[in-house]
Amino acid sequence: MTSRHDGEVLEPSDRPVDPWEGVNEAALAQAVQAQAARPVPGIEDMASYLAAQVSDTAHREVVGPLLDGQGASGVVVRRGAVIASWGEPTRAEMAFSATKSVLSLVGGIAFDDGALRLDEPVCRSVDLPQFGTAHGRAITWRHLLDQTSQWEGELWGKPTWVDAQSTREGTESAGGAPGEGWAYNDVRVNLTALALTVLSGRSLPDVLRTRVMTPIGASDDWSWHGYENAAVDLNGTRVPVVSGGAHWGGGLWISALDLARIGHLCLRGGAWGGRQVLSRRWIEELWTPCPVKPHYGLSWWLNDDRSVWPRAPRTGRCARGNAGSHLLWVDPARELVIASRWGAEVEQLLAEVSGAVPPVPGPLSGQGTGA
């Protein structure tokens, strides 16, 4: 399946590169055509779709804006050029938990500016009551970003215990110290967004736009939302605080093409068009395994042991949301980025596209051993 976006170059390059080198074009076309035919059902009514996913009736109220889904879309990018696409890849969709990985880029901006030190307690740089308790004072920025803070409380009317994701594959224990256990928890990610807003002194969409999205040539169609009651006072100004997911609405609304730009930026070690947008050091931190959750980095999933996507290459890293129906896949070994929106069976997509695109020679290629 092709579209008018196929062949589009996201990042111009001075070096002669062939995005089609070694690619099995027929297999690639078959893979994306199959993905276009696997839309997630029920997304055309997002309110009903979300209601069906929430088991706790006391906290199922949506408190952020919603965007109805419009079907499967996506792009495959190799060496900075679109080599396949399906649906309408310029159409913005809710990103759900893929938002968390974009939030980590905002953390990287603060890191590069010297305002954020990963292993320093958050309370040293921001004044918030959540970090004023004995437990809160021990929480570092790394704990927030790799989901090991083990913070318990309520934010924007949602308590931490209501997020069912925390119990599915978490390693934490009640009352544990920061860093000793891991849980995937939207309320804690929202706390991260609040802390980063206070640290940045302005709204996170403004930071992301000026420091990342504009430099990488993204469209103006993306937006980032919080809950109706989520705001913080910064020097007398009420500043909205965005959410890191979409369990209760909000989150990042972005197209597959713009999401792929973010993926390509990370693949290139934070560089774009000869400019270092994010430091290579930060990209390395994003993809450093968490000690208590080795296939998770700083809000990015790592497939090193193939526990995230068993049929996909171990060289891949990803942002994913809503059980993978929103996926940004970055595979440096293949110089490959895949952005898939509202498509089911994404593991099959990853396996088939990766089979059609060979690793490039180098230390990340896996040397033909299952990469």
Side-chain angles (χ1 to χ4, degrees), residues 15-252:
R15 61 189 180 109
V17 293
D18 178 10
W20 291 99
E21 183 181 5
V23 175
N24 184 330
E25 297 185 33
L28 175 64
Q30 184 175 357
V32 301
Q33 185 174 5
Q35 187 65 7
R38 294 192 292 257
V40 174
I43 60 171
E44 63 280 352
D45 183 349
M46 192 54 56
S48 298
Y49 180 81
L50 284 181
Q53 293 184 325
V54 179
S55 58
D56 184 84
T57 56
H59 293 280
R60 72 190 312 168
E61 179 189 7
V62 171
V63 289
L66 300 178
L67 180 66
D68 293 337
Q70 299 185 56
S73 62
V75 292
V76 177
V77 174
R78 179 112 184 284
R79 294 175 171 172
V82 178
I83 61 172
S85 61
W86 62 98
E88 182 43 74
T90 59
R91 184 183 64 234
E93 300 279 5
M94 295 178 73
F96 286 78
S97 284
T99 304
K100 296 173 175 59
S101 303
V102 177
L103 180 64
S104 70
L105 301 188
V106 177
I109 293 167
F111 175 85
D112 291 344
D113 289 348
L116 183 155
R117 295 175 176 82
L118 268 173
D119 296 305
E120 181 178 273
V122 177
C123 64
R124 294 187 185 177
S125 48
V126 301
D127 182 15
L128 287 169
Q130 292 85 356
F131 304 104
T133 65
H135 183 100
R137 287 193 295 273
I139 296 173
T140 66
W141 289 102
R142 188 183 299 276
H143 293 147
L144 288 181
L145 289 164
D146 70 7
Q147 301 252 32
T148 63
S149 74
Q150 302 204 98
W151 177 78
E152 295 291 345
E154 182 176 307
L155 185 63
W156 318 132
K158 304 297 182 182
T160 49
W161 59 262
V162 77
D163 192 344
Q165 291 181 120
S166 291
T167 61
R168 289 178 191 162
E169 55 175 325
T171 65
E172 69 179 4
S173 58
E180 292 184 358
W182 179 94
Y184 198 72
N185 189 286
D186 265 29
V187 179
R188 292 175 184 158
V189 175
N190 291 341
L191 177 61
T192 307
L194 171 61
L196 284 172
T197 301
V198 174
L199 182 69
S200 302
R202 56 177 173 150
S203 75
L204 299 191
D206 285 346
V207 176
L208 184 68
R209 179 177 294 104
T210 58
R211 298 292 297 273
V212 176
M213 302 303 275
T214 297
I216 65 175
S219 75
D220 294 324
D221 294 333
W222 67 274
S223 55
W224 198 352
H225 307 268
Y227 307 147
E228 57 192 22
N229 60 336
V232 64
D233 183 274
L234 296 179
N235 299 319
T237 301
R238 186 179 186 273
V239 177
V241 179
V242 294
S243 64
H247 282 180
W248 303 286
L252 184 68

Side-chain angles (χ1 to χ4, degrees), residues 283-306:
I283 303 303
E284 292 170 350
E285 291 284 3
L286 294 183
W287 296 343
T288 297
C290 169
V292 294
K293 192 69 171 179
H295 57 266
Y296 199 71
L298 296 185
S299 303
W300 281 76
W301 294 94
L302 316 175
N303 207 42
D304 298 40
D305 60 1
R306 281 186 160 153

